[in-house]
Amino acid sequence: VGVGGGWVAVRSYDALWFASGEEHLAESRRPPSEPVELSVPGRVAWGGVVVRAEVSVHFRAPRVAHETFLDADAVGTALWVRSRLPGDRIHPLGAAGSRKVQDILIDARVPKWCRDRVVLVVRDHAILWVAGLASAENARIGRDTRAVVRLSVETDPGEL
């Protein structure tokens, strides 16, 4: 809704956002970034963020909004960073079965125009991490885990 002076008010769930009308329109029409390959260990820039994969033998409680720790054997050495695709599913850590990524984004109240910018880290066709929202059960750290992979996402300083 236009509020004057080139600004718009956008309601998403129970939040109200104010943005430049042109900026909001451009952002909502911007296509998602193309998938990029992520080596383990390695780092890539994708969609205004930097995604890292680091191998370690140490584990600590993650800062859930920015990182996850997964079993290195389940992760492998070659991953892809991409946006969601229709029908994408993940078996979230501790859940009884798989869920649609779309449902996870809705439950987390991610605004519709932001959903294509949420980072997904994928091995083959299996989603290992929906950044900040869900890690995969099949990459859970367990008693047999010998090494872990820390996946993290942070704002790309080049985008600031």
Side-chain angles (χ1 to χ4, degrees):
V1 175
V3 293
W7 288 86
V8 294
V10 182
R11 183 174 156 250
S12 178
Y13 299 102
D14 57 354
L16 185 62
W17 304 76
F18 291 93
S20 155
E22 291 177 15
E23 223 175 83
H24 176 70
L25 187 59
E27 181 64 22
S28 65
R29 291 183 177 165
R30 185 179 73 161
S33 298
E34 291 295 318
V36 293
E37 191 167 5
L38 172 61
S39 297
V40 180
R43 64 176 247 148
V44 294
W46 182 88
V49 297
V50 173
V51 182
R52 296 180 196 283
E54 302 164 287
V55 180
S56 176
V57 293
H58 302 289
F59 168 75
R60 62 176 165 73
R63 295 173 304 138
V64 177
H66 306 284
E67 66 184 351
T68 191
F69 291 86
L70 303 173
D71 182 280
D73 290 336
V75 170
T77 59
L79 303 172
W80 285 88
V81 176
R82 65 169 174 83
S83 63
R84 68 189 175 129
L85 297 173
D88 270 345
R89 297 185 77 84
I90 183 173
H91 183 170
L93 190 63
S98 70
R99 293 194 63 208
K100 291 180 182 178
V101 169
Q102 172 73 13
D103 292 343
I104 291 170
L105 297 174
I106 289 170
D107 289 352
R109 297 183 152 205
V110 174
K112 189 174 188 174
W113 67 89
C114 296
R115 293 178 192 159
D116 287 337
R117 307 223 185 337
V118 173
V119 173
L120 272 59
V121 178
V122 180
R123 177 182 180 185
D124 299 324
H125 297 288
I127 297 171
L128 298 177
W129 188 39
V130 179
L133 299 173
S135 298
E137 176 68 29
N138 65 343
R140 171 193 287 266
I141 295 171
R143 273 190 281 215
D144 298 332
T145 299
R146 294 174 305 208
V148 296
V149 171
R150 175 185 176 259
L151 297 176
S152 64
V153 63
E154 62 190 45
T155 303
D156 183 350
E159 293 288 317
L160 299 178

